[in-house]
C-alpha cells in the first residue's frame, strides 16, 4: 500500500470481494436473461477478480489496433508482476460502493462505471510507463480517452481508494499526483501551466473532494481533506481541510473537519456537498 | 401526455412526422449516393417511426454484450407497451427541429443528434426501471454513457419536448426531474448532494433553459420558465421566470416573460441567449 | 495559406515531416512488438502523409453506416482536390508538437490525439459542405462527435496551426471562425445565441489561447493574441492582446505582448498559463 493508505474497518479482502461479486452476478444472471450470457462470460467463468478484470478491461480497450487476447495477457501480466495494482483496484471498488449512493452492487462498479474502469486501465498504463514501454502506455491512454472519455497521462500517479464519478471529460496531466481516498466528479481537470517539461501539474492530497468541472491548474498543492466546489478554478495552493469555491477559487472555510486522518469518513461526509 | 404538457399549434402527429421523415430520407438518398444504403436500412425500409427508432437505437447500443436483435425487440416491446414513450419522442423531435437553428431536417435529429438519441434510450431504460428490470436498465444507462457520452440514471424522470443540444458530458442523477419543454446544452449536470439515498437531485421546471456547463446541485427546484447562464453553479432554489448567472448563481432578473404558460415560445426566445 | 498565416522558422515541409514520422514509426515498431503491426498498417506501408492520414481517419470514422474503403477514397479525393487541406494538416501537426509538452513524437499527434484527428476530419467535412454535399458533411460531423467527442459544425471555418488539446467536449458552432495558430483546451464552447439563422457564433482571432472549459457565446470577436482563462464565460467582444477571466469574463490585463505578430511564440508563451 502507498504511504498513508490504510483500509477502513469494513474493508474487504480481494477474496471476500470476489465472492460477493460472484454471488451478485449469479443472482442477476438468473433474474435477467438478457444479461445472463454477458454476466457468465464477464464474471462467472473466471477463477479470480484479476482474471475477470483482465477480461473486462481487454474487452473495453480492444480494437483493430489492440487485439483483445493480447491486451488480456498484458493486463494479467501486470497484475501478476505488481500485486499493488490489484490491491489498489480492491480499494477503488470499495470506494465506489461506499461513496456513490447510486451504486448498490459491486458488479455495477466493475462492469459499468467508466471512471472506475479508466483508473484501472491507467494503473496498467502507468505500470508500462515505469517499465519504459512508453509507446504502448501512450497507446493505452489514447484508447481509454476514446472509449471511456477519461484522459490520464500514464506518468500521473494515482493513489488508492479513488473515485471518479460519472467521469466524462476528466483530464489528468503528466506530472499530476492524486492522493489516496480522493473523490472527483466528471469534467475535472488537473492541468498544466506553461510549456516546460518539468513538474507542471497539481498534487491533490489524501481525502480531497473535487466537484464537477473543477480545474486545478499548475504545480499547486491541494491540502489533505480539502474540498473544492463544482465549477471552481484553482490556480494557487490550498491548505488542508479547507473549502474553496469560485472562479478563481477562494477559501470560504478553514479547519472544517474534526478527524482529518479518518479519510473514508471525511470523504463520505463531503461528497458532492457544495458548502457556501 | 404528462401534466402540463400540451402540443404547440404547429405540432405534428406521429404519422405526419413519419411521412416528412420518409420524404427527406428519400430525397437525401437520391442526392447523396454515399448515404443511400444507410438511409434505406435506417429509415425507408421501416413501416413506422417506432420501428425505425427501434432499429436505429438498437444499432447505436449494440455491442458484444447487448445484441442488436435483442435490443431491437426490447425497444419495440417498450414502444408497444407504453404509447407515451413514442408520444414523448414525437414531441422531442419537434423540440429539436424548432429550437436548434443548425437543424433543418427531421432526419438530422433522428440519425445524428446524440442528445436526442440519449433521451430516447433513457425513455426505454426508465420503462425497464419502473418494471423492476433494474439490472438491465443500468446496463443500458452505462452503454448510452459509453456511446453517446450522456449519463442519465434510469430512475430520473424526463418530460416531453426536451432538447439536449450537443449533449457531450451531460449528467442527470437518480432522483432528478426534468419538466416539459426544457432545453439544455452540453456539459449540464443535475447532480446530487450528500451520500443519503433519498431525493438529492434537482427538479427542473417546465420551459427552463440551462446553458452549457450549468451545474444544479442538490434537491433544489428551478422554477418554470427560468434561465441559467452558461457555466453557472446553482446551489439554491430559483423562482419561476428569473435569469440566474455566476458561480454560485445569483438572480439578475425577475418576471422576465409576459406569457410564461406559452412554453415553446418562451424556450425559443431564450435559447442560448446569455443576458447579463 | 489563409490570410495572415505564415510558417515559423522551424516549419517543416510535408515531405520533411513525413520522413520524420516514418523514422519514428520504424523505431517504435522495432522497440514495441505489441504495436508493430499497427504502426506498419497505419504509417509504414503508405507512400505519403496524405495516404496515411486518409487511412487513419477512415479507420477512426468507419462504421456499419460509413464503410472504411468508401471513407478512405473520399478523404484522398479531398486531399487531392484541395492542397490547402494537407497544408493545414502539416501546420496543425507542428502546432501540437511545438506547444504540447506531453507530445515528443509526431506519431503521437497523428495516431492518438483526438483534437488533432477531429480537426482533420472537420477539414474534410468542411470541404464537402462547401461543395454542397451537406448531408454527408453532417453525417461526418456526427460521427466525429461520437468517436472523438468533438462537435464542430461543417460550416465552421478553422485556420492553420490550430491545437485542440485533450479535446473531449469541444463544441464549435455553424458560423464560428477560428483564426490561425489558435490553441484551445478541452470543453471549450464557441456557441450561438438566439434562434436566428444568421451569424451567431464567435470569431476567434489569430494566436488566441482559450483555457479548459471556456465558453464564448454569440457573434463576438476575440481579438488576436488574447487569452481567456479556464472556466471563463465570454459574452462580449474582447480586444487584441488582453487577458480575460471569470464568469462573466472581465479583462484583467491589456497589451500584454511585445510581438503580437509573432504568432507561434505568442501562443507558446501563453499556453495553459492562467494569469490572475
Amino acid at each position: 500500500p502507498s504511504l498513508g493508505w490504510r483500509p477502513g474497518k469494513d474493508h474487504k479482502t480481494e477474496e471476500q470481494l470476489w465472492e460477493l461479486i460472484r454471488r451478485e452476478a449469479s443472482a442477476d444472471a438468473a433474474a435477467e436473461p438478457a444479461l445472463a450470457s454477458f454476466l457468465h462470460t464477464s464474471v462467472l467463468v473466471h477463477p479470480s477478480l484479476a482474471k475477470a478484470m483482465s477480461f473486462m478491461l481487454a474487452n473495453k480497450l480492444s480494437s483493430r489496433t489492440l487485439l483483445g487476447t493480447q491486451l488480456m495477457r498484458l493486463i494479467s501480466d501486470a497484475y501478476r508482476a505488481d500485486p499493488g495494482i490489484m490491491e489498489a483496484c480492491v480499494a477503488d471498488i470499495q470506494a465506489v460502493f461506499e461513496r456513490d449512493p447510486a451504486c448498490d452492487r459491486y458488479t455495477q462498479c466493475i462492469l459499468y462505471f467508466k471512471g472506475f474502469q479508466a483508473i484501472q486501465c491507467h494503473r496498467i498504463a502507468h505500470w508500462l510507463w515505469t517499465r519504459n514501454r512508453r509507446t504502448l502506455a501512450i497507446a493505452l491512454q489514447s484508447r481509454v480517452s476514446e472509449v471511456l472519455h477519461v484522459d490520464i497521462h500514464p506518468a500521473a500517479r494515482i493513489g488508492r481508494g479513488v473515485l471518479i464519478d460519472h467521469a466524462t471529460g476528466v483530464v489528468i496531466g503528466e506530472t499530476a499526483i492524486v492522493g489516496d481516498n480522493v473523490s472527483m466528479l466528471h469534467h475535472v481537470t488537473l492541468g498544466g501551466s506553461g510549456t516546460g517539461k518539468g513538474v507542471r501539474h497539481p498534487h491533490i492530497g489524501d481525502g480531497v473532494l473535487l466537484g464537477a468541472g473543477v480545474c486545478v491548474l499548475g504545480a499547486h498543492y491541494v491540502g489533505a481533506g480539502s474540498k473544492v466546489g463544482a465549477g471552481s478554478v484553482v490556480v494557487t495552493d490550498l491548505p488542508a481541510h479547507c473549502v474553496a469555491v469560485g472562479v478563481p477559487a477562494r477559501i470560504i472555510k478553514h479547519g472544517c473537519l474534526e478527524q482529518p486522518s479518518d479519510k473514508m469518513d471525511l470523504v463520505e461526509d463531503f461528497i458532492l456537498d457544495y458548502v457556501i
Side-chain angles (χ1 to χ4, degrees), chain A:
Chain A
S2 49
L3 202 67
W5 188 84
R6 51 164 213 238
K9 67 177 161 47
D10 295 327
H11 194 80
K12 288 168 183 56
T13 66
E14 183 186 337
E15 289 69 29
Q16 289 169 326
L17 204 54
W18 177 235
E19 180 55 31
L20 290 169
I21 289 166
R22 286 181 57 85
R23 265 190 240 165
E24 279 181 11
S26 258
D28 285 348
E32 180 54 81
L35 294 172
S37 153
F38 168 58
L39 290 166
H40 273 91
T41 53
S42 303
V43 177
L44 295 168
V45 303
H46 298 290
S48 67
L49 182 56
K51 286 294 178 193
M53 287 295 304
S54 303
F55 176 86
M56 188 274 293
L57 296 179
N59 229 334
K60 285 284 166 216
L61 299 181
S62 70
S63 68
R64 274 161 285 195
T65 306
L66 295 159
L67 297 181
T69 47
Q70 196 180 23
L71 281 166
M72 194 171 161
R73 198 172 324 119
L74 178 77
I75 299 168
S76 291
D77 286 352
Y79 281 135
R80 206 166 18 236
D82 181 353
I85 301 177
M86 181 46 68
E87 288 168 31
C89 172
V90 165
D92 295 339
I93 295 173
Q94 296 180 69
V96 175
F97 190 81
E98 287 168 17
R99 296 180 216 160
D100 181 351
C103 177
D104 59 6
R105 300 178 98 60
Y106 293 109
T107 37
Q108 260 181 37
C109 163
I110 292 177
L111 298 172
Y112 301 129
F113 283 13
K114 300 194 295 192
F116 170 77
Q117 294 167 347
I119 296 173
Q120 306 322 309
C121 292
H122 166 76
R123 299 196 186 285
I124 306 298
H126 183 68
W127 177 79
L128 289 165
W129 184 266
T130 58
R131 292 165 69 91
N132 233 8
R133 294 181 72 181
R134 298 195 170 190
T135 317
L136 187 55
I138 295 281
L140 279 192
Q141 171 195 9
S142 155
R143 184 64 184 152
V144 174
S145 178
E146 272 184 4
V147 174
L148 302 171
H149 328 115
V150 175
D151 190 348
I152 310 180
H153 194 285
R157 286 150 57 193
I158 312 277
R160 298 173 174 221
V162 170
L163 164 67
I164 305 184
D165 204 4
H166 305 297
T168 313
V170 164
V171 171
I172 300 178
E174 181 173 0
T175 62
I177 300 174
V178 175
D180 294 323
N181 295 326
V182 166
S183 292
M184 66 179 79
L185 278 282
H186 48 292
H187 300 153
V188 162
T189 297
L190 306 182
S193 181
T195 58
K197 296 261 181 193
V199 173
R200 62 193 184 282
H201 298 92
H203 179 163
I204 307 300
D206 295 343
V208 164
L209 170 65
L210 304 175
V214 166
C215 282
V216 190
L217 301 178
H220 298 298
Y221 182 66
V222 176
S226 281
K227 180 167 71 160
V228 183
S232 301
V233 176
V234 177
V235 289
T236 56
D237 284 2
L238 289 178
H241 304 300
C242 76
V243 178
V245 295
V247 180
R250 295 177 321 275
I251 296 170
I252 57 167
K253 210 167 161 185
H254 278 282
C256 46
L257 287 167
E258 291 88 352
Q259 294 173 290
S261 62
D262 192 353
K263 309 272 168 23
M264 293 303 276
D265 288 342
L266 175 160
V267 172
E268 278 187 310
D269 280 347
F270 273 65
I271 276 191
L272 298 171
D273 175 33
Y274 192 94
V275 173
I276 199 139

